[in-house]
Amino acid sequence: MADPVFERIAIVGVGLIGSSIARAAAEYGAAGSVALYDMSDDVRTRAAALGIGDVSETLADAVGAADCVILCVPVGALDEVAAATVPHMKAGAILTDVGSVKKQAAAALAAADNGKIHAIPGHPIAGTEQSGPEAGFPTLFRNAWHILTPREDGDEAYTDAVAKLAAFWTALGAKVETMEAARHDRVLAITSHLPHLIAFNIVATAFDMETVEQGEVVKYSAGGFRDFTRIAASDPVMWRDVFLNNKEAVLECLGRFSEDLAALQRAIRWGDGDMLMREFSRARTIRKAIIDAGQDSGAINFGRNEAVNGKAKS
Amino acid sequence: MADPVFERIAIVGVGLIGSSIARAAAEYGAAGSVALYDMSDDVRTRAAALGIGDVSETLADAVGAADCVILCVPVGALDEVAAATVPHMKAGAILTDVGSVKKQAAAALAAADNGKIHAIPGHPIAGTEQSGPEAGFPTLFRNAWHILTPREDGDEAYTDAVAKLAAFWTALGAKVETMEAARHDRVLAITSHLPHLIAFNIVATAFDMETVEQGEVVKYSAGGFRDFTRIAASDPVMWRDVFLNNKEAVLECLGRFSEDLAALQRAIRWGDGDMLMREFSRARTIRKAIIDAGQDSGAINFGRNEAVNGKAKS
């Protein structure tokens, strides 16, 4: 096995992502040793029981000897956690994160930067609906994109640090991309943030219908609703932070979504079948593009027979 | 194996549902023989090649000797297909369908009813995103709900026919429920029709964003968007018919959805984190209810790390 990319890494926040990084780093030899810290006593105890790294009782102990510190906390906690972390880091070490909003993450890391470390924001487009340290697994990042949003005015040492962090994620099996933080936030607003907001909303709407019993919604959720509840099962704290910190991009997407939905609503009200056909047909080509691009994890049974009734005609 | 529920059934429209019924009826001995007809020459040829039933060249040949005729065509085609079918059916035979809008289906079957057959609308809450006769499989309906919306003024012979049709679907492994057509349409409007409309819409919105390249949307679709494209890959003809035929119930859900979304939009704009937390937290309890009710087919990887970052705090 090749030499580890980092002698020692430290993971702050041991959820599915933090524990998956710890397991993957060990499995693929990307780090010589892994230090873990979580502000929750309970999570620290569970992480220690799993034996996925050296669990420290203090943040200082965890990050002191690390060549790379990875913050796996909600975006809204990054300011505080980064500020508390940097003073304990050794000179020349890398500070990165896994947050979903990169402009905010970049600002949080930059604010904490004491000039002796290399702050490089990052975001792995990977995960499952499971959570907690027990849910982690070493293959989570394989073939998933990992987006780095490094500063553009970095010196040679910084550039080397970015290359080293990219090598670390590549060793974990990820496909690494670098892009500007603002662009990341615009792309994720439509590919991740808006879809989640919509999912949260439709679930709430369904359970406020007086005309339908909640039990019926649950019972017949296989009709399509169920897939939204999966997405809407995400952590409320994390998502609150995402929307509060990527406000402009999300509101822009949301405005367009509502406009487009109003047009569909009008077509339904006035019986404009041609318009509905036109819009619904576009979606298939997009789905095909995603499958062709190999971005899909395969067919799932989402309990619908409608798509195929139609086929009786084709 | 027990005696077949029906001596002979006829399936009109051989898509995934039609071909799955044919395969299941044979596999579980629910029918002595299966006649198949599809208006498409191509689909008839493919169905014959699959050897999943006796493919007839005319509708009359297919349904003439059947004790039960199952129409597996889009809701918008039911009027025409039912009218063309009934004159060829033998007295006392059952006419049913698998359409997603039961008020319209009930009207279509009732209009075609010549008083010699038993018209019993039905809807299996089952399917996959695959389609066509090749995609069918015999276990599709196992543990899935099958909703029957029989008329309430039926005589004893009609009641017996409903019991027989229920026995047929039970033999295929389905859980049979009877409910009023209007109630079915209200329940499906929120559990199936609105989710599909939203999915179609967000996919269209994403591809109209000038600020983000379509390639980026495809590339980073694992962030949540991908799951919507699955749902939005459904057959446009079928869905056009659903929305045109369940207008009132869908518009009612849509109005509420838009109201609720506007409230979330306002909370994001004004930074009302407490409101977002409250709404997002509700969705988890609903997801839990669905899993507890055994209505979920299990966890899927929808490529998100956010849900679990949050866990670093918990």
Side-chain angles (χ1 to χ4, degrees):
Chain A
M1 197 179 272
D3 290 344
V5 179
F6 294 114
E7 277 296 313
R8 183 175 182 80
I9 64 169
I11 293 164
V12 179
V14 192
L16 176 134
I17 294 296
S19 79
S20 291
I21 295 172
R23 296 169 205 250
E27 174 92 8
Y28 306 117
S33 68
V34 178
L36 302 173
Y37 176 75
D38 194 287
M39 67 187 286
S40 155
D41 298 348
D42 174 53
V43 172
R44 284 200 307 278
T45 305
R46 286 151 62 193
L50 290 166
I52 53 175
D54 315 326
V55 178
S56 301
E57 281 309 300
T58 69
L59 178 61
D61 291 346
V63 307
D67 305 294
C68 178
V69 176
I70 307 172
L71 306 181
C72 306
V73 301
V75 170
L78 272 177
D79 280 312
E80 192 183 333
V81 175
T85 300
V86 171
H88 305 294
M89 290 174 63
K90 66 184 189 183
I94 292 170
L95 177 67
T96 188
D97 76 309
V98 296
S100 314
V101 183
K102 293 336 294 175
K103 266 165 78 179
Q104 160 61 15
L109 301 194
D113 193 344
N114 58 4
K116 300 179 185 147
I117 57 121
H118 299 300
I120 310 169
H123 180 206
I125 314 294
T128 75
E129 55 181 355
Q130 308 307 311
S131 58
E134 297 79 6
F137 54 97
T139 58
L140 178 61
F141 309 106
R142 299 206 76 75
N143 303 314
W145 293 103
H146 187 82
I147 300 174
L148 295 177
T149 62
R151 48 195 276 204
E152 280 155 6
D153 61 349
D155 57 15
E156 191 179 341
Y158 185 80
T159 308
D160 293 346
V162 172
K164 203 160 184 194
L165 184 57
F168 173 78
W169 281 100
T170 302
L172 269 43
K175 299 174 288 183
V176 178
E177 284 273 334
T178 44
M179 68 171 75
E180 197 233 333
R183 184 169 154 227
H184 167 280
D185 293 353
R186 279 198 309 274
V187 172
L188 272 289
I190 189 66
T191 58
S192 178
H193 305 170
L194 182 61
H196 281 77
L197 190 71
I198 296 309
F200 281 124
N201 191 64
I202 196 169
V203 169
T205 300
F207 276 69
D208 289 338
M209 300 285 296
E210 302 86 1
T211 51
V212 174
E213 290 164 28
Q214 299 194 1
E216 291 177 306
V217 174
V218 171
K219 190 169 176 180
Y220 303 113
S221 60
F225 181 73
R226 190 176 62 195
D227 299 306
F228 288 74
T229 67
R230 279 203 191 95
I231 301 174
S234 310
D235 185 73
V237 173
M238 190 284 304
W239 279 104
R240 176 201 61 198
D241 289 359
V242 166
F243 293 114
L244 294 180
N245 289 287
N246 196 23
K247 182 185 295 192
E248 292 72 17
V250 168
L251 288 177
E252 163 68 10
C253 295
L254 196 45
R256 287 161 172 270
F257 174 87
S258 297
E259 271 174 35
D260 296 341
L261 189 59
L264 285 178
Q265 181 168 357
R266 189 170 187 285
I268 292 171
R269 191 178 300 281
W270 293 98
D272 186 348
D274 296 342
M275 187 277 197
L276 296 177
M277 270 297 287
R278 210 165 46 239
E279 287 305 305
F280 297 170
S281 300
R282 292 175 62 200
R284 300 196 111 181
T285 63
I286 291 159
R287 171 64 176 172
K288 185 173 181 310
I290 287 174
I291 290 173
D292 294 348
Q295 297 298 320
D296 187 62
S297 48
I300 55 166
N301 180 324
F302 41 75
R304 296 180 302 103
N305 66 315
E306 299 89 341
V308 291
N309 285 353
K311 286 296 177 247
K313 285 187 110 183
S314 68
Chain B
M1 196 179 270
D3 289 343
V5 179
F6 294 114
E7 278 296 314
R8 183 174 183 80
I9 64 169
I11 294 164
V12 179
V14 191
L16 176 135
I17 293 296
S19 79
S20 291
I21 294 172
R23 296 168 205 250
E27 174 94 6
Y28 306 118
S33 69
V34 178
L36 302 172
Y37 177 74
D38 194 287
M39 67 187 283
S40 155
D41 299 349
D42 174 53
V43 171
R44 284 201 307 278
T45 306
R46 286 152 61 192
L50 291 167
I52 54 176
D54 315 326
V55 179
S56 301
E57 281 309 301
T58 69
L59 178 61
D61 292 346
V63 306
D67 306 294
C68 178
V69 176
I70 307 173
L71 307 181
C72 305
V73 300
V75 170
L78 273 177
D79 280 311
E80 192 183 332
V81 176
T85 301
V86 170
H88 305 295
M89 290 173 64
K90 65 183 190 184
I94 293 170
L95 177 66
T96 188
D97 76 308
V98 296
S100 314
V101 182
K102 294 334 298 172
K103 265 165 76 178
Q104 160 60 14
L109 300 194
D113 193 343
N114 59 4
K116 300 177 186 151
I117 57 122
H118 299 300
I120 309 168
H123 180 205
I125 314 294
T128 75
E129 55 181 354
Q130 308 307 312
S131 57
E134 297 79 6
F137 54 97
T139 57
L140 178 60
F141 309 106
R142 298 206 78 75
N143 303 315
W145 293 102
H146 187 82
I147 301 174
L148 295 176
T149 62
R151 48 196 278 201
E152 279 155 7
D153 62 350
D155 58 14
E156 190 179 340
Y158 184 80
T159 309
D160 294 346
V162 172
K164 203 158 184 197
L165 184 58
F168 174 77
W169 281 101
T170 303
L172 303 193
K175 299 174 287 183
V176 178
E177 283 275 334
T178 34
M179 67 171 76
E180 197 234 330
R183 183 170 155 225
H184 166 281
D185 293 353
R186 280 198 308 273
V187 172
L188 272 289
I190 189 67
T191 58
S192 178
H193 305 171
L194 182 61
H196 281 79
L197 191 71
I198 297 310
F200 281 124
N201 192 63
I202 196 169
V203 169
T205 300
F207 276 68
D208 289 339
M209 302 283 297
E210 304 86 0
T211 52
V212 175
E213 291 163 27
Q214 298 194 1
E216 291 178 306
V217 175
V218 170
K219 190 169 175 180
Y220 302 113
S221 60
F225 181 72
R226 190 176 62 196
D227 298 307
F228 287 75
T229 68
R230 278 204 191 93
I231 300 174
S234 309
D235 184 74
V237 173
M238 189 284 303
W239 279 103
R240 176 200 62 196
D241 289 358
V242 166
F243 293 115
L244 295 181
N245 289 288
N246 196 23
K247 183 185 293 192
E248 292 72 19
V250 169
L251 289 177
E252 163 68 11
C253 295
L254 197 43
R256 287 161 172 269
F257 174 87
S258 296
E259 270 174 36
D260 296 341
L261 190 59
L264 285 178
Q265 181 168 358
R266 189 170 187 285
I268 292 171
R269 191 179 300 281
W270 293 96
D272 185 348
D274 295 342
M275 187 277 197
L276 296 178
M277 269 297 287
R278 210 164 46 238
E279 287 305 306
F280 297 171
S281 301
R282 293 175 62 200
R284 300 197 111 181
T285 63
I286 291 161
R287 171 63 176 172
K288 187 174 181 309
I290 286 174
I291 290 173
D292 294 348
Q295 297 298 322
D296 186 63
S297 48
I300 55 166
N301 181 324
F302 41 78
R304 296 180 302 103
N305 65 316
E306 299 91 338
V308 292
N309 285 353
K311 287 296 177 243
K313 286 187 108 180
S314 69

